[in-house]
Amino acid sequence: MPGTTVDVTTEDGIADAYLARPDGDGPFPAVLFYMDAFGLRPHLEKMADRLAEAGYVVLVPNVFYRAGRAPVVDLPEFIDPSSRPALFEKIMPMLRSLTPEGLMSDADAYLRFLAGSPFTADGPVGITGYCMGAGLALRTAGTYPDRVAAAAGFHGANLASEADDSPHLLAGKVTAELYFAHADQDAAMPPEQISRLEQALTEAGVTHRCEVYEGAHHGYTQADTAAYDAGAAERHWTELLALFSRTL
């Protein structure tokens, strides 16, 4: 079933999003898919399509919708190291403008959209997130525990920093099963943060597994970037689909 562009009404406006679903009328389990910092683009749509082929209705919102509809930033077909500085000059102001309060208000709208879809089954959803999206996955699981059955994050950034609003501080509110796969070549999630996240989840009694993919770099799932690692990306698919299979 080809994916479509949909509009999700939020408290701050209209978030455009990509919706992928399996063939047939359903109902199917729902998945909220949080983008990386490069935004909603064809590669993420292909990833959503793969999840849909596995039997899920998948919503990929444009988290930067306040700055415009996707693509908010003009991206090259392949993002190599030389193109990153100019891209992040445009991306960083949008990142800094996001607040946990606004993002979780948006999350409520995304979850309500999925719950109201005629194609989705009743019950809590699964979440997957990449880079900045991994933090959003954890934050959403902690903010709406009764609406999230499972959440995964891949090559996440600053999941357990010393900031007062770090996502890991919500561990005590999480009831979902969690899976996080870090990259060992990733300055955005250094060893001390990996340890802090593991400690927080363990002390909170959260069912979880955290792994470090050796040799992988930040962004290893993103085939339209130089960080892509085919082996790590396929490992991510194996773990993600197994998580959703046993929880949704």
Side-chain angles (χ1 to χ4, degrees), residues 87-159:
L87 291 174
F88 273 98
E89 282 187 14
K90 301 174 182 178
I91 292 169
M92 288 308 297
M94 293 187 291
L95 277 173
R96 295 190 186 103
S97 71
L98 299 174
T99 66
E101 295 77 16
L103 289 165
M104 290 305 96
S105 174
D106 293 345
D108 175 59
Y110 306 147
L111 293 171
R112 284 189 285 105
F113 179 93
L114 285 169
S117 169
F119 305 112
T120 58
D122 293 337
V125 309
I127 304 177
T128 186
Y130 303 85
C131 181
M132 61 176 276
L136 294 180
L138 177 54
R139 197 178 295 281
T140 303
T143 303
Y144 303 106
D146 59 329
R147 296 154 74 179
V148 181
F154 300 92
H155 46 83
N158 294 314
L159 298 178

Side-chain angles (χ1 to χ4, degrees), residues 60-97:
V60 191
N62 168 22
V63 174
F64 293 147
Y65 73 89
R66 293 173 181 83
R69 297 180 71 87
V72 181
V73 175
D74 289 331
L75 299 172
E77 289 188 10
F78 184 77
I79 302 169
D80 60 25
S82 67
S83 62
R84 292 174 69 92
L87 291 174
F88 273 98
E89 282 187 14
K90 301 174 182 178
I91 292 169
M92 288 308 297
M94 293 187 291
L95 277 173
R96 295 190 186 103
S97 71

